[in-house]
Amino acid sequence: MSETSSPATVLVKVGPEALLAEIQAGHHTYFVDEPRSVGGQDRGPTPYDLLLSALGACTAITLRLYATQKHWPLEGIEVGLSHHRVHRLDCDQCEQAGEMLEEVRKELRLLGPLTPEQRQRLYLIAEKCPVQKTLTSGALRVVTTVLD
């Protein structure tokens, strides 16, 4: 990193061959890869798996914090996620650029003797997790700099 750039909080390294990425996040190291069917070695989750993992973890943690604060009997949380590319419903020329939408489906399983009102409130809280707000805000900007 140059003196003018901020230090990276995540560093990703990919070598001259293969698609395996080594990721250093703080003092954690892990790998991301692509399936064998697209040229990877399948030695780790895909980038989209990580994106879904971040959203799911943030959702579950947000729900846990809220339920604990309220002293609600939430015994466990399961968040199932999937990523899809879907055509716009009213698309006339779906093959043109910009006519596909990215969609994440998120299924919540709230375990424990919760009331219907508590379940409804937790559903609303799940929609407010910080990662989801970042992804859906439309205000995310990625600034790329090429370093020597």
Side-chain angles (χ1 to χ4, degrees):
M1 295 283 140
S2 71
E3 291 179 24
T4 60
S5 67
S6 60
T9 57
V10 173
L11 179 62
V12 179
K13 298 177 185 178
V14 174
E17 298 176 16
L19 302 176
L20 183 69
E22 178 183 329
I23 300 175
Q24 295 172 332
H27 62 275
H28 303 283
T29 300
Y30 51 96
F31 296 93
V32 174
D33 203 353
E34 292 288 346
R36 292 182 192 279
S37 62
V38 296
Q41 300 172 24
D42 201 19
R43 292 182 53 196
T46 68
Y48 276 106
D49 290 340
L50 283 185
L51 180 67
L52 294 177
S53 298
L55 176 58
C58 182
T59 299
I61 290 167
T62 299
L63 291 174
R64 167 52 53 214
L65 288 169
Y66 187 84
T68 298
Q69 178 185 23
K70 295 288 188 180
H71 304 287
W72 288 357
L74 180 60
E75 296 171 356
I77 305 148
E78 295 177 5
V79 184
L81 298 115
S82 58
H83 171 255
H84 307 274
R85 289 185 177 92
V86 295
H87 289 285
R88 294 181 192 269
L89 294 178
D90 58 351
C91 172
D92 292 330
Q93 299 173 344
C94 293
E95 299 304 316
Q96 294 181 1
E99 297 304 325
M100 297 289 279
L101 295 174
E102 302 288 329
E103 179 178 271
V104 171
R105 296 184 185 151
K106 182 167 70 166
E107 297 177 342
L108 300 177
R109 178 164 286 134
L110 305 173
L111 308 173
L114 298 162
T115 67
E117 293 79 17
Q118 289 170 331
R119 288 181 179 280
Q120 178 61 27
R121 183 66 184 151
L122 289 171
Y123 162 79
L124 294 172
I125 295 300
E127 297 293 297
K128 297 176 188 260
C129 96
V131 170
Q132 182 165 332
K133 287 168 72 173
T134 298
L135 292 172
T136 60
S137 72
L140 178 64
R141 179 174 59 172
V142 177
V143 178
T144 304
T145 305
V146 178
L147 304 174
D148 292 333

